[in-house]
Amino acid sequence: GRRRAGQSSCETVRPRQLVRSHSVYFVTWLPVMTSTKSKVCLAVFTAICGVVLLVGVLGHIYFPAIMRGKIAEQLQLKEGSETLKKWSDVKVPIYMSFHMFNITNPEEFAAGEVADVKQTGPYVYREYRKKEIQGFDNERYTVQYFDRKSFVFEPSMSAGTEDDMINVINVPVVAISALTRKKVPEVAAPLVMPILDSMMRKHNETLATRRSVREMLFDGYQVGLMRDLIRLAKAFLPKLENPLKNNTFGLFFERNNSHDGLYSVYTGEDDPAKFAKLERWNNLGNLTYWAGPTCNMINGTDGGQFAPFLSKDSTLYVFSTDLCRSMHFRYEKDTEVHGIR
């Protein structure tokens, strides 16, 4: 009970020991509590990392297959599907540009001199495409359609009008002259060729003809020489037909607002790799125009759509009715067109 120097009257040895004892207990308890929390946090963190890693591994293995399945499911030309709607009615603007070569010395050219030509144009047309569905074959997973195309002149994008007059090669006359020289027997040539020359003079036909752009492209023009030649030849060849429809020549005559035959393509329902590929054209599995079987094959699509999951190693096949055969394309290099790479 005695006081020590510097102690207050209320401080005793026992309470002081209790305080010290309590202080020691508190200090030794705090590290134990902190260590337990760390272990819990570490366990939670490890579990989260494990889950993330597991999801990543499973995603790497299965996600591509899932995505391919979803894409294949969407890219099917099923009746009433959104894909069929977008595929059959193309909204992307398509333009066809024509350049003409005007013969600036038509008289001299007709007399045998070399033609001097000057390029004119472009004459630009907006192309509209609409696939007219004719039916579905659910057993063969195919859809049949006509691919109707229309062309509308675009003055704002053109360097001239459809009424521009140009001097061009007289294609029908050149063709008639070449065929006559090739088909007419040599012994009959002295009789036939003067008749042909006389008829050409009658119709004022030369190697060059002056026509408007619209006549050369879609409207066409009458070929009087061809009509009279067919009439004359039918006296000897009754079954001979005029190769010019309506006796009219034009590079794209009757192509405006027309289709190029009945297509039958696979819908892709049974096999995504067959999506939009041609099965038949005009009810033909193969063409009959060429000598070899390879050239007569109908391969690929109509060029408007291709199957999914292509790579740079893929070969693309396109069937062209203008060329009457299929073509193939292989990747060569990356390019940039109008800022699109």
Side-chain angles (χ1 to χ4, degrees):
R2 292 183 299 178
R3 297 179 184 176
R4 293 182 182 178
Q7 287 183 325
S8 63
S9 59
C10 63
E11 185 179 2
T12 61
V13 175
R14 188 173 182 81
R16 188 172 182 180
Q17 289 176 343
L18 288 175
V19 172
R20 287 180 178 176
S21 176
H22 181 70
S23 299
V24 171
Y25 174 77
F26 177 78
V27 171
T28 57
W29 174 81
L30 183 60
V32 173
M33 183 177 179
T34 304
S35 177
T36 303
K37 286 186 176 180
S38 299
K39 290 180 180 179
V40 172
C41 291
L42 180 61
V44 172
F45 177 75
T46 303
I48 293 174
C49 289
V51 171
V52 171
L53 180 62
L54 179 62
V55 171
V57 172
L58 294 177
H60 179 73
I61 297 174
Y62 295 106
F63 183 74
I66 294 173
M67 284 300 299
R68 288 173 68 94
K70 288 295 183 181
I71 293 173
E73 183 180 340
Q74 291 294 321
L75 288 180
Q76 295 179 5
L77 301 176
K78 294 189 295 187
E79 188 172 4
S81 67
E82 190 67 21
T83 299
L84 179 70
K85 180 180 178 181
K86 293 180 179 179
W87 171 79
S88 60
D89 190 6
V90 179
K91 299 298 184 182
V92 178
I94 304 172
Y95 297 97
M96 184 174 287
S97 180
F98 298 93
H99 288 81
M100 301 292 182
F101 290 92
N102 181 36
I103 301 175
T104 58
N105 60 337
E107 291 82 10
E108 293 80 0
F109 173 64
E113 294 187 15
V114 176
D116 291 329
V117 295
K118 180 180 179 181
Q119 179 175 294
T120 63
Y123 301 95
V124 181
Y125 291 78
R126 169 78 182 271
E127 180 179 343
Y128 295 88
R129 296 184 179 183
K130 175 71 174 180
K131 291 180 173 63
E132 300 173 347
I133 306 300
Q134 302 300 303
F136 293 84
D137 188 331
N138 295 325
E139 293 183 357
R140 297 206 303 254
Y141 298 104
T142 59
V143 55
Q144 292 74 45
Y145 65 92
F146 291 118
D147 192 12
R148 187 170 296 277
K149 299 177 183 178
S150 301
F151 301 88
V152 178
F153 185 66
E154 290 285 348
S156 62
M157 302 176 67
S158 303
T161 72
E162 290 182 291
D163 295 317
D164 287 353
M165 300 299 294
I166 53 176
N167 300 309
V168 294
I169 295 289
N170 196 336
V171 177
V173 168
V174 173
I176 291 171
S177 300
L179 285 174
T180 302
R181 287 180 170 83
K182 183 178 181 180
K183 298 294 184 180
V184 174
E186 188 174 346
V187 294
L191 175 64
V192 174
M193 296 310 295
I195 296 176
L196 178 60
D197 291 339
S198 175
M199 295 183 70
M200 288 181 62
R201 287 194 297 271
K202 174 186 174 182
H203 291 279
N204 196 28
E205 297 282 12
T206 64
L207 288 178
T209 182
R210 187 167 180 80
R211 301 291 174 181
S212 67
V213 171
R214 68 169 71 247
E215 285 180 313
M216 285 301 300
L217 293 178
F218 294 102
D219 288 5
Y221 59 90
Q222 287 285 309
V223 184
L225 175 62
M226 178 68 77
R227 180 188 61 246
D228 289 352
L229 281 175
I230 295 297
R231 288 175 181 172
L232 178 63
K234 276 194 172 184
F236 307 95
L237 301 170
K239 295 183 178 181
L240 182 65
E241 296 293 335
N242 192 331
L244 297 179
K245 192 171 183 179
N246 298 328
N247 194 51
T248 303
F249 174 78
L251 296 175
F252 291 89
F253 177 64
E254 290 197 332
R255 291 285 297 275
N256 203 348
N257 193 29
S258 67
H259 63 77
D260 53 357
L262 181 65
Y263 289 82
S264 179
V265 303
Y266 292 101
T267 62
E269 294 176 78
D270 62 328
D271 184 359
K274 295 165 66 176
F275 172 77
K277 284 189 176 181
L278 276 159
E279 181 217 17
R280 305 175 76 82
W281 175 73
N282 274 347
N283 295 318
L284 296 173
N286 291 282
L287 302 177
T288 58
Y289 308 131
W290 307 96
T294 302
C295 294
N296 281 317
M297 295 176 67
I298 298 177
N299 294 326
T301 73
D302 64 0
Q305 188 76 48
F306 295 96
F309 317 126
L310 298 176
S311 68
K312 292 181 179 180
D313 297 325
S314 301
T315 300
L316 303 181
Y317 289 90
V318 175
F319 175 69
S320 171
T321 55
D322 291 327
L323 301 178
C324 296
R325 64 165 298 170
S326 298
M327 305 173 290
H328 67 270
F329 301 89
R330 294 191 178 95
Y331 170 81
E332 182 177 304
K333 62 181 179 180
D334 291 345
T335 58
E336 185 173 311
V337 179
H338 299 300
I340 301 175
R341 186 175 179 81

